[in-house]
Amino acid sequence: MPAARSSPPAGARVAPSCRPDTTADAVLPAAHRMRRSADFARAVRTGARAGRNTLVVHLVTRTDPGPGPAVGFVVSKGVGNAVTRNRVKRRLRALTAERLDGFPTDVDVVVRALAPAAGADYASLGHDLDGAVRSASKRLTGRAGDRR
């Protein structure tokens, strides 16, 4: 006679609200993801920077043509534990995917989350992202005008 199970199967414990959002709008397309550390370093070190309460945005003009803007995220341990950091990354990824059409096509964007991002709601993160991108874009175009 087989022994009785002491706990339910793992799949039964997953709450419906914890399942990932699989809608196409919430996903940042692979062509727009920044992956190489050299791209992150170039954007952070040489790009135009603008900050808000919950995040900092770095924008840099790309020299090689691409399918559109490339976006990367930096969420350090200062933001919170792994669960909190992943929640912040998911929110930022979804917000950025919604706004891809608003970015210039020849830029790399790095979004760096600050500690207050952990307690911020979706709307305030979106507001801060919009403001920071707008400010960084102005600085980036101002730099391009100075070089001519």
Side-chain angles (χ1 to χ4, degrees), residues 113-144:
L114 302 175
D121 63 351
Y122 191 81
S124 63
L125 277 175
H127 184 262
D128 283 356
L129 179 63
D130 291 338
V133 167
R134 197 170 27 257
S135 296
S137 295
K138 286 179 186 175
R139 290 185 180 144
L140 188 64
T141 57
R143 284 184 185 182

PDB file of all heavy atoms in Angstrom, residues 113-144:
ATOM      1  N   ALA A 113      16.538  51.819 -10.865  1.00  0.00           N
ATOM      2  CA  ALA A 113      15.567  51.997  -9.789  1.00  0.00           C
ATOM      3  C   ALA A 113      16.276  52.410  -8.507  1.00  0.00           C
ATOM      4  O   ALA A 113      17.368  51.924  -8.193  1.00  0.00           O
ATOM      5  CB  ALA A 113      14.791  50.707  -9.555  1.00  0.00           C
ATOM      6  N   LEU A 114      15.656  53.323  -7.778  1.00  0.00           N
ATOM      7  CA  LEU A 114      16.155  53.749  -6.480  1.00  0.00           C
ATOM      8  C   LEU A 114      15.311  53.097  -5.385  1.00  0.00           C
ATOM      9  O   LEU A 114      14.235  52.557  -5.660  1.00  0.00           O
ATOM     10  CB  LEU A 114      16.094  55.276  -6.368  1.00  0.00           C
ATOM     11  CG  LEU A 114      16.873  56.037  -7.442  1.00  0.00           C
ATOM     12  CD1 LEU A 114      16.636  57.537  -7.292  1.00  0.00           C
ATOM     13  CD2 LEU A 114      18.352  55.715  -7.364  1.00  0.00           C
ATOM     14  N   ALA A 115      15.775  53.164  -4.143  1.00  0.00           N
ATOM     15  CA  ALA A 115      15.090  52.496  -3.037  1.00  0.00           C
ATOM     16  C   ALA A 115      13.603  52.860  -2.915  1.00  0.00           C
ATOM     17  O   ALA A 115      12.785  51.976  -2.651  1.00  0.00           O
ATOM     18  CB  ALA A 115      15.827  52.774  -1.725  1.00  0.00           C
ATOM     19  N   PRO A 116      13.189  54.118  -3.111  1.00  0.00           N
ATOM     20  CA  PRO A 116      11.749  54.431  -2.995  1.00  0.00           C
ATOM     21  C   PRO A 116      10.880  53.738  -4.047  1.00  0.00           C
ATOM     22  O   PRO A 116       9.656  53.697  -3.901  1.00  0.00           O
ATOM     23  CB  PRO A 116      11.689  55.948  -3.167  1.00  0.00           C
ATOM     24  CG  PRO A 116      13.046  56.439  -2.785  1.00  0.00           C
ATOM     25  CD  PRO A 116      13.985  55.344  -3.209  1.00  0.00           C
ATOM     26  N   ALA A 117      11.469  53.179  -5.085  1.00  0.00           N
ATOM     27  CA  ALA A 117      10.690  52.472  -6.111  1.00  0.00           C
ATOM     28  C   ALA A 117       9.993  51.249  -5.523  1.00  0.00           C
ATOM     29  O   ALA A 117       8.957  50.825  -6.031  1.00  0.00           O
ATOM     30  CB  ALA A 117      11.586  52.054  -7.273  1.00  0.00           C
ATOM     31  N   ALA A 118      10.543  50.693  -4.455  1.00  0.00           N
ATOM     32  CA  ALA A 118       9.947  49.502  -3.851  1.00  0.00           C
ATOM     33  C   ALA A 118       8.553  49.783  -3.311  1.00  0.00           C
ATOM     34  O   ALA A 118       7.670  48.932  -3.393  1.00  0.00           O
ATOM     35  CB  ALA A 118      10.843  48.982  -2.734  1.00  0.00           C
ATOM     36  N   GLY A 119       8.322  50.985  -2.792  1.00  0.00           N
ATOM     37  CA  GLY A 119       7.020  51.314  -2.225  1.00  0.00           C
ATOM     38  C   GLY A 119       6.122  52.087  -3.168  1.00  0.00           C
ATOM     39  O   GLY A 119       4.987  52.403  -2.821  1.00  0.00           O
ATOM     40  N   ALA A 120       6.616  52.392  -4.360  1.00  0.00           N
ATOM     41  CA  ALA A 120       5.838  53.192  -5.303  1.00  0.00           C
ATOM     42  C   ALA A 120       4.836  52.335  -6.048  1.00  0.00           C
ATOM     43  O   ALA A 120       5.100  51.176  -6.358  1.00  0.00           O
ATOM     44  CB  ALA A 120       6.772  53.875  -6.292  1.00  0.00           C
ATOM     45  N   ASP A 121       3.693  52.913  -6.359  1.00  0.00           N
ATOM     46  CA  ASP A 121       2.714  52.187  -7.152  1.00  0.00           C
ATOM     47  C   ASP A 121       3.011  52.373  -8.646  1.00  0.00           C
ATOM     48  O   ASP A 121       3.885  53.151  -9.028  1.00  0.00           O
ATOM     49  CB  ASP A 121       1.284  52.614  -6.811  1.00  0.00           C
ATOM     50  CG  ASP A 121       1.004  54.077  -7.124  1.00  0.00           C
ATOM     51  OD1 ASP A 121       1.950  54.810  -7.452  1.00  0.00           O
ATOM     52  OD2 ASP A 121      -0.165  54.475  -7.035  1.00  0.00           O
ATOM     53  N   TYR A 122       2.272  51.648  -9.456  1.00  0.00           N
ATOM     54  CA  TYR A 122       2.500  51.621 -10.901  1.00  0.00           C
ATOM     55  C   TYR A 122       2.380  53.019 -11.515  1.00  0.00           C
ATOM     56  O   TYR A 122       3.200  53.432 -12.329  1.00  0.00           O
ATOM     57  CB  TYR A 122       1.478  50.657 -11.525  1.00  0.00           C
ATOM     58  CG  TYR A 122       1.723  50.303 -12.962  1.00  0.00           C
ATOM     59  CD1 TYR A 122       2.646  49.338 -13.305  1.00  0.00           C
ATOM     60  CD2 TYR A 122       1.008  50.924 -13.975  1.00  0.00           C
ATOM     61  CE1 TYR A 122       2.861  48.990 -14.631  1.00  0.00           C
ATOM     62  CE2 TYR A 122       1.212  50.592 -15.303  1.00  0.00           C
ATOM     63  CZ  TYR A 122       2.142  49.619 -15.623  1.00  0.00           C
ATOM     64  OH  TYR A 122       2.358  49.293 -16.932  1.00  0.00           O
ATOM     65  N   ALA A 123       1.367  53.758 -11.096  1.00  0.00           N
ATOM     66  CA  ALA A 123       1.118  55.085 -11.671  1.00  0.00           C
ATOM     67  C   ALA A 123       2.246  56.059 -11.342  1.00  0.00           C
ATOM     68  O   ALA A 123       2.690  56.824 -12.216  1.00  0.00           O
ATOM     69  CB  ALA A 123      -0.214  55.629 -11.178  1.00  0.00           C
ATOM     70  N   SER A 124       2.733  56.043 -10.117  1.00  0.00           N
ATOM     71  CA  SER A 124       3.807  56.981  -9.756  1.00  0.00           C
ATOM     72  C   SER A 124       5.122  56.593 -10.430  1.00  0.00           C
ATOM     73  O   SER A 124       5.904  57.471 -10.819  1.00  0.00           O
ATOM     74  CB  SER A 124       3.967  57.083  -8.240  1.00  0.00           C
ATOM     75  OG  SER A 124       4.345  55.855  -7.687  1.00  0.00           O
ATOM     76  N   LEU A 125       5.373  55.305 -10.598  1.00  0.00           N
ATOM     77  CA  LEU A 125       6.559  54.885 -11.359  1.00  0.00           C
ATOM     78  C   LEU A 125       6.455  55.368 -12.801  1.00  0.00           C
ATOM     79  O   LEU A 125       7.435  55.850 -13.378  1.00  0.00           O
ATOM     80  CB  LEU A 125       6.713  53.363 -11.337  1.00  0.00           C
ATOM     81  CG  LEU A 125       7.382  52.740 -10.128  1.00  0.00           C
ATOM     82  CD1 LEU A 125       7.343  51.218 -10.230  1.00  0.00           C
ATOM     83  CD2 LEU A 125       8.797  53.210  -9.965  1.00  0.00           C
ATOM     84  N   GLY A 126       5.272  55.260 -13.386  1.00  0.00           N
ATOM     85  CA  GLY A 126       5.061  55.730 -14.748  1.00  0.00           C
ATOM     86  C   GLY A 126       5.259  57.228 -14.873  1.00  0.00           C
ATOM     87  O   GLY A 126       5.877  57.714 -15.825  1.00  0.00           O
ATOM     88  N   HIS A 127       4.769  57.978 -13.902  1.00  0.00           N
ATOM     89  CA  HIS A 127       4.930  59.430 -13.896  1.00  0.00           C
ATOM     90  C   HIS A 127       6.402  59.806 -13.791  1.00  0.00           C
ATOM     91  O   HIS A 127       6.890  60.677 -14.520  1.00  0.00           O
ATOM     92  CB  HIS A 127       4.126  60.031 -12.734  1.00  0.00           C
ATOM     93  CG  HIS A 127       4.151  61.515 -12.702  1.00  0.00           C
ATOM     94  ND1 HIS A 127       5.020  62.214 -11.891  1.00  0.00           N
ATOM     95  CD2 HIS A 127       3.428  62.436 -13.380  1.00  0.00           C
ATOM     96  CE1 HIS A 127       4.832  63.504 -12.081  1.00  0.00           C
ATOM     97  NE2 HIS A 127       3.863  63.673 -12.978  1.00  0.00           N
ATOM     98  N   ASP A 128       7.122  59.147 -12.896  1.00  0.00           N
ATOM     99  CA  ASP A 128       8.556  59.418 -12.738  1.00  0.00           C
ATOM    100  C   ASP A 128       9.334  59.023 -13.989  1.00  0.00           C
ATOM    101  O   ASP A 128      10.252  59.735 -14.410  1.00  0.00           O
ATOM    102  CB  ASP A 128       9.117  58.682 -11.521  1.00  0.00           C
ATOM    103  CG  ASP A 128       8.754  59.361 -10.211  1.00  0.00           C
ATOM    104  OD1 ASP A 128       8.135  60.450 -10.242  1.00  0.00           O
ATOM    105  OD2 ASP A 128       9.093  58.809  -9.146  1.00  0.00           O
ATOM    106  N   LEU A 129       8.972  57.901 -14.605  1.00  0.00           N
ATOM    107  CA  LEU A 129       9.645  57.464 -15.822  1.00  0.00           C
ATOM    108  C   LEU A 129       9.438  58.479 -16.941  1.00  0.00           C
ATOM    109  O   LEU A 129      10.396  58.860 -17.623  1.00  0.00           O
ATOM    110  CB  LEU A 129       9.143  56.084 -16.251  1.00  0.00           C
ATOM    111  CG  LEU A 129       9.744  55.506 -17.524  1.00  0.00           C
ATOM    112  CD1 LEU A 129      11.243  55.281 -17.357  1.00  0.00           C
ATOM    113  CD2 LEU A 129       9.052  54.199 -17.896  1.00  0.00           C
ATOM    114  N   ASP A 130       8.210  58.940 -17.119  1.00  0.00           N
ATOM    115  CA  ASP A 130       7.923  59.920 -18.167  1.00  0.00           C
ATOM    116  C   ASP A 130       8.723  61.206 -17.964  1.00  0.00           C
ATOM    117  O   ASP A 130       9.317  61.742 -18.897  1.00  0.00           O
ATOM    118  CB  ASP A 130       6.427  60.246 -18.210  1.00  0.00           C
ATOM    119  CG  ASP A 130       5.589  59.079 -18.700  1.00  0.00           C
ATOM    120  OD1 ASP A 130       6.143  58.202 -19.392  1.00  0.00           O
ATOM    121  OD2 ASP A 130       4.379  59.056 -18.392  1.00  0.00           O
ATOM    122  N   GLY A 131       8.732  61.705 -16.735  1.00  0.00           N
ATOM    123  CA  GLY A 131       9.454  62.940 -16.448  1.00  0.00           C
ATOM    124  C   GLY A 131      10.952  62.795 -16.637  1.00  0.00           C
ATOM    125  O   GLY A 131      11.608  63.684 -17.196  1.00  0.00           O
ATOM    126  N   ALA A 132      11.508  61.690 -16.186  1.00  0.00           N
ATOM    127  CA  ALA A 132      12.947  61.477 -16.316  1.00  0.00           C
ATOM    128  C   ALA A 132      13.359  61.314 -17.776  1.00  0.00           C
ATOM    129  O   ALA A 132      14.385  61.847 -18.203  1.00  0.00           O
ATOM    130  CB  ALA A 132      13.378  60.261 -15.489  1.00  0.00           C
ATOM    131  N   VAL A 133      12.562  60.589 -18.555  1.00  0.00           N
ATOM    132  CA  VAL A 133      12.876  60.408 -19.979  1.00  0.00           C
ATOM    133  C   VAL A 133      12.804  61.750 -20.697  1.00  0.00           C
ATOM    134  O   VAL A 133      13.654  62.074 -21.528  1.00  0.00           O
ATOM    135  CB  VAL A 133      11.939  59.364 -20.627  1.00  0.00           C
ATOM    136  CG1 VAL A 133      12.039  59.388 -22.136  1.00  0.00           C
ATOM    137  CG2 VAL A 133      12.258  57.977 -20.099  1.00  0.00           C
ATOM    138  N   ARG A 134      11.795  62.538 -20.374  1.00  0.00           N
ATOM    139  CA  ARG A 134      11.652  63.858 -20.999  1.00  0.00           C
ATOM    140  C   ARG A 134      12.868  64.740 -20.699  1.00  0.00           C
ATOM    141  O   ARG A 134      13.446  65.355 -21.589  1.00  0.00           O
ATOM    142  CB  ARG A 134      10.360  64.515 -20.497  1.00  0.00           C
ATOM    143  CG  ARG A 134       9.870  65.656 -21.296  1.00  0.00           C
ATOM    144  CD  ARG A 134       8.469  66.149 -20.927  1.00  0.00           C
ATOM    145  NE  ARG A 134       8.040  65.928 -19.554  1.00  0.00           N
ATOM    146  CZ  ARG A 134       7.187  64.973 -19.172  1.00  0.00           C
ATOM    147  NH1 ARG A 134       6.678  64.159 -20.072  1.00  0.00           N
ATOM    148  NH2 ARG A 134       6.838  64.841 -17.918  1.00  0.00           N
ATOM    149  N   SER A 135      13.293  64.774 -19.432  1.00  0.00           N
ATOM    150  CA  SER A 135      14.456  65.580 -19.042  1.00  0.00           C
ATOM    151  C   SER A 135      15.747  65.078 -19.675  1.00  0.00           C
ATOM    152  O   SER A 135      16.554  65.867 -20.166  1.00  0.00           O
ATOM    153  CB  SER A 135      14.612  65.578 -17.522  1.00  0.00           C
ATOM    154  OG  SER A 135      13.520  66.202 -16.913  1.00  0.00           O
ATOM    155  N   ALA A 136      15.940  63.767 -19.670  1.00  0.00           N
ATOM    156  CA  ALA A 136      17.161  63.201 -20.251  1.00  0.00           C
ATOM    157  C   ALA A 136      17.200  63.440 -21.757  1.00  0.00           C
ATOM    158  O   ALA A 136      18.268  63.699 -22.325  1.00  0.00           O
ATOM    159  CB  ALA A 136      17.255  61.713 -19.934  1.00  0.00           C
ATOM    160  N   SER A 137      16.052  63.367 -22.416  1.00  0.00           N
ATOM    161  CA  SER A 137      16.004  63.621 -23.864  1.00  0.00           C
ATOM    162  C   SER A 137      16.395  65.056 -24.175  1.00  0.00           C
ATOM    163  O   SER A 137      17.119  65.315 -25.140  1.00  0.00           O
ATOM    164  CB  SER A 137      14.602  63.342 -24.412  1.00  0.00           C
ATOM    165  OG  SER A 137      14.292  61.985 -24.293  1.00  0.00           O
ATOM    166  N   LYS A 138      15.918  66.004 -23.360  1.00  0.00           N
ATOM    167  CA  LYS A 138      16.292  67.407 -23.552  1.00  0.00           C
ATOM    168  C   LYS A 138      17.791  67.587 -23.392  1.00  0.00           C
ATOM    169  O   LYS A 138      18.435  68.298 -24.160  1.00  0.00           O
ATOM    170  CB  LYS A 138      15.553  68.302 -22.564  1.00  0.00           C
ATOM    171  CG  LYS A 138      14.099  68.500 -22.887  1.00  0.00           C
ATOM    172  CD  LYS A 138      13.440  69.384 -21.850  1.00  0.00           C
ATOM    173  CE  LYS A 138      11.945  69.467 -22.078  1.00  0.00           C
ATOM    174  NZ  LYS A 138      11.281  70.220 -20.997  1.00  0.00           N
ATOM    175  N   ARG A 139      18.351  66.935 -22.376  1.00  0.00           N
ATOM    176  CA  ARG A 139      19.801  67.048 -22.157  1.00  0.00           C
ATOM    177  C   ARG A 139      20.585  66.413 -23.298  1.00  0.00           C
ATOM    178  O   ARG A 139      21.626  66.921 -23.703  1.00  0.00           O
ATOM    179  CB  ARG A 139      20.176  66.407 -20.825  1.00  0.00           C
ATOM    180  CG  ARG A 139      19.692  67.203 -19.657  1.00  0.00           C
ATOM    181  CD  ARG A 139      20.167  66.635 -18.348  1.00  0.00           C
ATOM    182  NE  ARG A 139      19.658  67.473 -17.273  1.00  0.00           N
ATOM    183  CZ  ARG A 139      19.262  67.023 -16.111  1.00  0.00           C
ATOM    184  NH1 ARG A 139      19.342  65.731 -15.847  1.00  0.00           N
ATOM    185  NH2 ARG A 139      18.804  67.848 -15.201  1.00  0.00           N
ATOM    186  N   LEU A 140      20.079  65.295 -23.811  1.00  0.00           N
ATOM    187  CA  LEU A 140      20.758  64.606 -24.896  1.00  0.00           C
ATOM    188  C   LEU A 140      20.739  65.450 -26.166  1.00  0.00           C
ATOM    189  O   LEU A 140      21.755  65.576 -26.844  1.00  0.00           O
ATOM    190  CB  LEU A 140      20.099  63.243 -25.153  1.00  0.00           C
ATOM    191  CG  LEU A 140      20.804  62.313 -26.124  1.00  0.00           C
ATOM    192  CD1 LEU A 140      22.172  61.914 -25.584  1.00  0.00           C
ATOM    193  CD2 LEU A 140      19.966  61.065 -26.359  1.00  0.00           C
ATOM    194  N   THR A 141      19.607  66.047 -26.490  1.00  0.00           N
ATOM    195  CA  THR A 141      19.547  66.897 -27.677  1.00  0.00           C
ATOM    196  C   THR A 141      20.348  68.168 -27.477  1.00  0.00           C
ATOM    197  O   THR A 141      20.911  68.701 -28.423  1.00  0.00           O
ATOM    198  CB  THR A 141      18.085  67.232 -28.059  1.00  0.00           C
ATOM    199  OG1 THR A 141      17.454  67.857 -26.937  1.00  0.00           O
ATOM    200  CG2 THR A 141      17.327  66.003 -28.465  1.00  0.00           C
ATOM    201  N   GLY A 142      20.427  68.666 -26.245  1.00  0.00           N
ATOM    202  CA  GLY A 142      21.249  69.841 -25.947  1.00  0.00           C
ATOM    203  C   GLY A 142      22.732  69.544 -26.170  1.00  0.00           C
ATOM    204  O   GLY A 142      23.480  70.365 -26.693  1.00  0.00           O
ATOM    205  N   ARG A 143      23.150  68.351 -25.791  1.00  0.00           N
ATOM    206  CA  ARG A 143      24.558  67.949 -26.015  1.00  0.00           C
ATOM    207  C   ARG A 143      24.862  67.839 -27.487  1.00  0.00           C
ATOM    208  O   ARG A 143      25.919  68.232 -27.949  1.00  0.00           O
ATOM    209  CB  ARG A 143      24.834  66.590 -25.378  1.00  0.00           C
ATOM    210  CG  ARG A 143      24.980  66.596 -23.902  1.00  0.00           C
ATOM    211  CD  ARG A 143      25.335  65.194 -23.457  1.00  0.00           C
ATOM    212  NE  ARG A 143      25.386  65.106 -22.020  1.00  0.00           N
ATOM    213  CZ  ARG A 143      25.706  64.006 -21.386  1.00  0.00           C
ATOM    214  NH1 ARG A 143      25.981  62.908 -22.055  1.00  0.00           N
ATOM    215  NH2 ARG A 143      25.746  63.991 -20.078  1.00  0.00           N
ATOM    216  N   ALA A 144      23.931  67.265 -28.254  1.00  0.00           N
ATOM    217  CA  ALA A 144      24.145  67.106 -29.690  1.00  0.00           C
ATOM    218  C   ALA A 144      24.257  68.475 -30.357  1.00  0.00           C
ATOM    219  O   ALA A 144      25.036  68.672 -31.284  1.00  0.00           O
ATOM    220  CB  ALA A 144      23.006  66.310 -30.322  1.00  0.00           C
TER     221      ALA A 144
END
